[in-house]
Amino acid sequence: MTNHWIDLQNTDCALIIGSNAAENHPIAFKWLNEARRKRGAKIIHVDPRFNRTSAQADIYIKLRPGTDIAFMGGLINYVLTGGYYDRDYMLAYTNAAYLVNPGFKFEDGLFSGYDPVNRSYNQDSWSFQRDAAGNILTDPTLTNPATVWQLLKQHYSRYTPERVAATCGMTVEEFLQVASLFAATGARDKTGTILYAMGATQHSVGSQNVRSYAILQLLLGNIGKPGGGINALRGESNVQGSTDLGLLYDSLPGYLASPTSSLNHQNLTEYNKNETPAQGYWVNKPRFMVSLLKAWYGPAAVAEKDFAYHYLPKRNAAKNYSYINLFEDIYEGTIKGLLCFGQNPLVSGPNAGKTARALAKLQWLVVADLWETETAAFWKAPGVNPAEINTEVFILPVAAAIEKSGCITNSGRWLQYRWQALNPPGQAQNDAWIVHNLCLKLKGLYATSLQAKDEPIRQLYWPYGAAGEPDLNQVRLEMNGYTVADGMPVSGFSQLQADGSTACGIWIYSGFYTATGNKSQNRNNVDDSGIGSYPGWGYAWPANRRILYNRAAADPQGQPWHADKAVIWWDGLRWTGKDVPDFNASLSPTAAGGNKPFIMLPDGVGALFGKLKDGPFPEHYEPYESPVANQFSSVQTNPVLKPLTTALNARGTSSAYPFVATTYRVSEHWQTGAMTRNLPWQAELMPEMFVEISETLAASRGIANGDWVIVSSARGEIKARALVTKRVKPLPVNGQLIEQIGLPWHWGHQGVVTGEMANVLTPNIGDANTMIPEYKAFLVNIRKVV
Ligand SMILES: Nc1nc2c(c(=O)[nH]1)N[C@H]1C(S)=C(S)[C@@H](COP(=O)(O)OP(=O)(O)OC[C@H]3O[C@@H](n4cnc5c(=O)[nH]c(N)nc54)[C@H](O)[C@@H]3O)O[C@H]1N2
Ligand SMILES: Nc1nc2c(c(=O)[nH]1)N[C@H]1C(S)=C(S)[C@@H](COP(=O)(O)OP(=O)(O)OC[C@H]3O[C@@H](n4cnc5c(=O)[nH]c(N)nc54)[C@H](O)[C@@H]3O)O[C@H]1N2
Ligand SMILES: [Mo]
């Protein structure tokens, strides 16, 4: 989230798109209802299915799964042609006036530089024009056809209300109703917020969906202000924390790139040179990187030895190591063992039939969980013959959240400590205990090794105490950062150094655990900011800032654009106001960089023209599996997707699988169901796997409510109960009626109640930038069980 949960109360209009917030993030609605009560805010919900969020919204419109860019492009076009944007904000705080390389082009669905063989772009022509000194050329009149502004207008002029409506399966009136409501937040005294989650990201164009929100919000001047922003409603309670800590294969803690085996990362000097921009806050990256190495390798991290940079594993830059490819490698036998902590991938991963076959190829599998999950018990699933499986499975019982204490980070970036309520049962241990003791055992095994390849394990700095319970305060100190000489905590990331004198496990958290205490335990529920900043509650990274980019809530001279939407302002000496400035607190608006709010970008302005793998502007492409032709160009699917062509990765066609399917959650269950289908009182609320279909589809296939049906895709088929409902409707797409099928994905073969897995049906295709699977739009067929 750029903003935070409580800040939703400050909005004038909430566009909930790609999220069922009422069901999956109920607390969001507490604050949205506050906004409605206090300010008469309007809530818009855009979703293929009418659900509990739709029921709470002022306006609901349905849209065909996978067509969000068409819809958002339509909104951008509406704002541009209608003049609803905040011109001053946009001119000062975005790259609208930049002149783009004359070689840049967009023709029939492709940007310049496309390489059809490698299915990727050479981005050279997506650069900006510069003068001899290297400064970017601009045209503040915005009339030059090479300006980002003109290119943006041209690009989205194709997103007419008619074409948008015909692609998304809505009426022009419905589209215009939403457009006029949200566009009104371009006014200075208004802000609009966008709430999104998996309905936006789980697509082959997921990252560009989010980019489209950024463009719209920058045009309307909605970033940095109370009640504005782009708000990702994160999933598991600590999913924000795990991303912060470098859970993804391509990042180290604090969003530093994980090094590759390429020449430009061959040593720390090269890494720093190639990863550190010339301008913007990331010029400090070497301080964060060296402090991280110092935290991890302690005394072995010395300047003469590149701070032990050579101990870090180096990935192959050309290879993607995310979920889909990981399981591909398991299936192919390249990966032989799997440690599975708090994940149930047989039920949660796409193309479950292949996941099951992959698990059977492992030599060993360790599952650290509260339950014997489907993944742990894959060898005894219905239809599987255990005699044919050689995988050795170990189950480590783990303490649940309430059986241990520790800090988690919510969607609003707030670190909040939770105190242990119960002791774990039986042999269950907390995850930190397991990792600590596993690491000590490994270190013991390698203690006398003289081989260079074992050095990273031997030299790993592990100051968390002897076998048994680890010293978590030592972990907190390391995360916060300390001065090496005396082991005293630093007060924040501005103190971190690149010379090895400081250590820090995650620079963005620096400041949460200092000499004055563990701020994630702060529980002061007094808010004197008037906008719900609650600075004394928990600790928001970075530096306890609650609204990111809040410098943009003030005009270039440093005064609030509007008193009702003020956050910070320049008082003549410093930035002050209702939140911690997300800016250098003493940098005057008239000083160099003093009017550039987007401090994490080298040029300090928001990117209307950006750089993702699939283009500088989001463009509509159809999902990997779609029943219709793309109305926007002759390029059917995202041109930089790289589908797996190996075994068991079939792609379905609309002749065999005519219906659009999407998967989703319900309030009554949690994820793969391990946490809910094992609890009788929870399980009985939603005991059976079901699929939602429209009355018209039911009639055409002779299906009655409650019948058993078979849903099939190119990957497999599952049995479920039909839920025939008015909440799901066929969509009028370009003169054709497209039926959709909604599938919850909470069932599996373990637990008190069992059911078949929706993910048997889903495709092994991921977003071009992140590889998140396209769980939200694929093709299926349905028939009644006779
Ligand atoms: N009770 C409960 N709460 C949960 C969870 C849970 O399992 N149970 N899971 C947690 C986790 S980890 C996460 S990530 C979040 C997920 O939270 P959400 O993203 O809200 O969850 P979903 O239900 O998967 O999807 C949201 C909506 O996207 C819609 N949708 C599908 N395709 C499209 C599309 O192409 N465009 C648009 N605009 N919408 C589409 C679906 O119909 C669905 O209503 O929930 C968290 N909260
Ligand atoms: N079709 C489809 N598939 C999806 C999605 C979708 O929308 N559609 N959504 C995707 C999303 S957003 C997500 S986040 C994933 C989730 O996928 P998973 O993470 O695989 O699903 P969970 O059921 O949340 O699994 C968490 C496991 O952790 C265990 N657990 C709980 N607490 C602890 C603990 O403290 N320690 C340990 N070690 N274990 C614990 C639980 O018992 C459970 O087995 O699924 C993805 N899969
Ligand atoms: Mo999630």
Side-chain angles (χ1 to χ4, degrees):
M1 283 182 155
T2 56
N3 295 41
H4 57 94
W5 294 109
I6 299 171
D7 178 65
L8 295 175
Q9 69 181 326
N10 297 318
T11 200
D12 297 285
C13 186
L15 172 59
I16 307 178
I17 180 163
S19 146
N20 179 3
E23 193 135 11
N24 299 321
H25 297 90
I27 208 70
F29 260 84
K30 174 187 165 81
W31 300 108
L32 289 173
N33 284 332
E34 273 299 284
R36 196 140 50 177
R37 191 177 62 79
K38 287 205 295 216
R39 328 177 53 87
K42 290 279 185 270
I43 300 172
I44 305 166
H45 189 220
V46 184
D47 196 295
R49 305 173 306 121
F50 184 95
N51 54 42
R52 286 163 172 164
T53 301
S54 326
Q56 296 289 318
D58 297 285
I59 299 176
Y60 162 73
I61 57 172
K62 59 188 181 334
L63 124 161
R64 176 166 61 94
T67 60
D68 295 67
I69 291 179
F71 181 76
M72 294 301 298
L75 292 188
I76 293 168
N77 184 36
Y78 182 90
V79 165
L80 291 174
T81 50
Y84 298 104
Y85 47 87
D86 183 335
R87 189 182 169 95
D88 298 335
Y89 180 106
M90 175 268 293
L91 204 53
Y93 296 159
T94 76
N95 58 17
Y98 286 18
L99 298 186
V100 176
N101 183 327
F104 173 76
K105 283 196 181 51
F106 175 77
E107 275 166 6
D108 188 27
L110 292 175
F111 298 92
S112 44
Y114 185 62
D115 169 357
V117 176
N118 293 311
R119 298 183 63 83
S120 63
Y121 280 105
N122 174 334
Q123 302 185 358
D124 288 353
S125 62
W126 308 358
S127 57
F128 298 119
Q129 299 182 31
R130 290 176 187 266
D131 65 16
N135 301 312
I136 295 171
L137 298 179
T138 63
D139 171 20
T141 70
L142 301 178
T143 51
N144 187 322
T147 49
V148 165
W149 180 249
Q150 293 295 336
L151 294 170
L152 184 78
K153 286 208 329 199
Q154 200 186 337
H155 191 88
Y156 290 105
S157 64
R158 302 150 51 239
Y159 288 69
T160 58
E162 293 71 26
R163 193 185 264 175
V164 167
T167 294
C168 299
M170 56 185 61
T171 65
V172 169
E173 293 68 37
E174 285 172 326
F175 168 77
L176 290 175
Q177 190 189 9
V178 170
S180 67
L181 206 56
F182 200 72
T185 67
R188 290 271 161 84
D189 62 338
K190 298 274 187 287
T191 46
T193 179
I194 297 181
L195 278 65
Y196 76 93
M198 295 304 118
T201 53
Q202 291 173 344
H203 290 286
S204 48
V205 294
S207 306
Q208 294 282 16
N209 277 338
V210 180
R211 270 279 297 145
S212 71
Y213 310 153
I215 294 176
L216 183 66
Q217 291 294 63
L218 285 169
L219 290 173
L220 294 170
N222 277 336
I223 304 279
K225 299 180 183 174
I230 300 172
N231 292 305
L233 312 185
R234 309 293 319 248
E236 307 261 9
S237 56
N238 195 29
V239 73
Q240 180 66 49
S242 58
T243 349
D244 296 343
L245 280 151
L247 186 86
L248 299 173
Y249 74 90
D250 56 351
S251 71
L252 298 174
Y255 303 97
L256 305 168
S258 71
T260 72
S261 54
S262 325
L263 279 180
N264 65 352
H265 283 174
Q266 61 179 316
N267 53 41
L268 184 61
T269 314
E270 284 299 310
Y271 176 93
N272 280 338
K273 192 172 96 195
N274 291 296
E275 289 298 317
T276 313
Q279 287 168 302
Y281 197 76
W282 276 123
V283 298
N284 293 305
K285 208 176 267 184
R287 297 165 184 251
F288 309 146
M289 185 67 181
V290 170
S291 296
L292 180 67
L293 289 167
K294 201 68 203 159
W296 282 359
Y297 300 109
V302 290
E304 310 80 81
K305 291 196 174 159
D306 227 10
F307 293 107
Y309 173 82
H310 52 293
Y311 289 163
L312 289 179
K314 309 291 184 300
R315 66 189 159 97
N316 175 348
K319 192 168 156 65
N320 182 294
Y321 297 82
S322 74
Y323 183 91
I324 291 175
N325 292 303
L326 193 78
F327 272 85
E328 183 70 19
D329 284 353
I330 296 175
Y331 181 80
E332 295 297 335
T334 325
I335 294 177
K336 297 187 167 40
L338 177 66
L339 291 169
C340 193
F341 274 71
Q343 217 187 348
N344 187 7
L346 179 55
V347 184
S348 58
N351 197 357
K354 183 162 183 173
T355 311
R357 306 264 289 267
L359 291 171
K361 293 189 174 192
L362 287 169
Q363 286 176 5
W364 53 266
L365 167 67
V366 178
V367 175
D369 205 292
L370 276 48
W371 317 96
E372 185 187 20
T373 61
E374 281 78 6
T375 303
F378 76 94
W379 52 275
K380 51 179 168 174
V384 175
N385 179 4
E388 288 169 7
I389 293 173
N390 292 321
T391 314
E392 192 174 1
V393 182
F394 302 86
I395 302 180
L396 303 180
V398 179
I402 55 170
E403 294 161 354
K404 56 196 173 195
S405 45
C407 176
I408 64 167
T409 308
N410 77 2
S411 303
R413 297 162 286 100
W414 293 22
L415 284 77
Q416 295 176 97
Y417 195 84
R418 308 195 289 197
W419 285 266
Q420 181 178 355
L422 296 166
N423 286 323
Q427 295 181 319
Q429 297 285 2
N430 64 64
D431 295 83
W433 186 98
I434 295 172
V435 176
H436 177 57
N437 290 285
L438 180 64
C439 184
L440 290 179
K441 283 265 189 245
L442 283 171
K443 279 172 105 41
L445 289 172
Y446 288 96
T448 55
S449 168
L450 298 175
Q451 296 196 45
K453 71 178 174 57
D454 300 332
E455 283 277 298
I457 295 177
R458 298 202 318 114
Q459 298 295 351
L460 186 64
Y461 187 53
W462 202 262
Y464 318 119
E469 277 299 331
D471 178 358
L472 292 181
N473 278 329
Q474 191 61 38
V475 177
R476 288 173 195 118
L477 175 68
E478 173 184 316
M479 289 170 79
N480 176 79
Y482 56 88
T483 42
V484 173
D486 58 6
M488 292 303 287
V490 297
S491 63
F493 46 75
S494 63
Q495 292 189 7
L496 299 176
Q497 303 300 332
D499 59 5
S501 61
T502 57
C504 179
I506 168 167
W507 74 273
I508 53 176
Y509 284 10
S510 191
F512 96 99
Y513 187 82
T514 65
T516 56
N518 181 349
K519 294 182 187 149
S520 72
Q521 295 181 344
N522 285 356
R523 289 296 182 274
N524 181 346
N525 62 359
V526 177
D527 175 47
D528 48 16
S529 73
I531 58 168
S533 293
Y534 291 95
W537 184 283
Y539 186 78
W541 74 260
N544 212 22
R545 296 163 188 167
R546 307 278 153 155
I547 299 182
L548 292 184
Y549 315 119
N550 54 27
R551 165 68 181 90
D555 63 20
Q557 292 74 42
Q559 295 313 304
W561 290 105
H562 193 280
D564 289 355
K565 299 289 175 183
V567 186
I568 62 162
W569 51 88
W570 180 252
D571 71 2
L573 290 172
R574 65 181 68 79
W575 290 95
T576 179
K578 307 176 181 198
D579 189 7
V580 177
D582 188 16
F583 205 62
N584 179 341
S586 57
L587 186 66
S588 147
T590 51
N595 57 5
K596 305 281 186 218
F598 294 92
I599 55 173
M600 299 313 283
L601 294 172
D603 53 0
V605 298
L608 295 176
F609 188 92
K611 270 194 186 177
L612 289 181
K613 285 185 182 159
D614 35 7
F617 296 131
E619 167 69 4
H620 171 73
Y621 303 106
E622 287 292 325
Y624 185 58
E625 291 186 348
S626 162
V628 296
N630 187 356
Q631 297 303 302
F632 286 81
S633 74
S634 65
V635 181
Q636 177 71 2
T637 50
N638 189 337
V640 306
L641 291 184
K642 295 191 179 62
L644 292 172
T645 49
T646 40
L648 302 180
N649 296 311
R651 179 183 195 176
T653 59
S654 59
S655 48
Y657 304 101
F659 309 123
V660 175
T662 197
T663 58
Y664 62 90
R665 296 156 166 80
V666 296
S667 284
E668 292 78 359
H669 279 297
W670 185 260
Q671 310 273 73
T672 65
M675 303 286 286
T676 44
R677 286 186 294 100
N678 279 299
L679 310 175
W681 58 92
Q682 194 92 29
E684 72 174 337
L685 293 173
M686 287 259 180
E688 276 176 333
M689 170 63 188
F690 63 91
V691 299
E692 281 187 300
I693 57 173
S694 73
E695 292 174 333
T696 45
L697 176 56
S700 76
R701 297 281 159 138
I703 298 166
N705 190 33
D707 279 352
W708 284 104
V709 291
I710 300 278
V711 183
S712 57
S713 80
R715 273 76 51 191
E717 54 180 47
I718 59 166
K719 197 169 125 185
R721 288 262 198 206
L723 175 62
V724 181
T725 171
K726 292 187 195 311
R727 294 190 303 264
V728 172
K729 293 245 175 358
L731 301 154
V733 177
N734 214 28
Q736 214 181 323
L737 268 189
I738 304 283
E739 291 284 357
Q740 28 165 354
I741 296 183
L743 301 128
W745 60 279
H746 300 295
W747 281 269
H749 67 271
Q750 291 285 102
V752 182
V753 297
T754 60
E756 299 204 2
M757 302 181 288
N759 274 324
V760 164
L761 305 173
T762 51
N764 257 0
I765 191 79
D767 167 66
N769 292 278
T770 63
M771 280 298 277
I772 188 171
E774 189 152 60
Y775 292 119
K776 289 282 189 272
F778 54 97
L779 292 175
V780 295
N781 207 340
I782 189 168
R783 63 178 192 272
K784 184 174 160 162
V785 176
V786 284

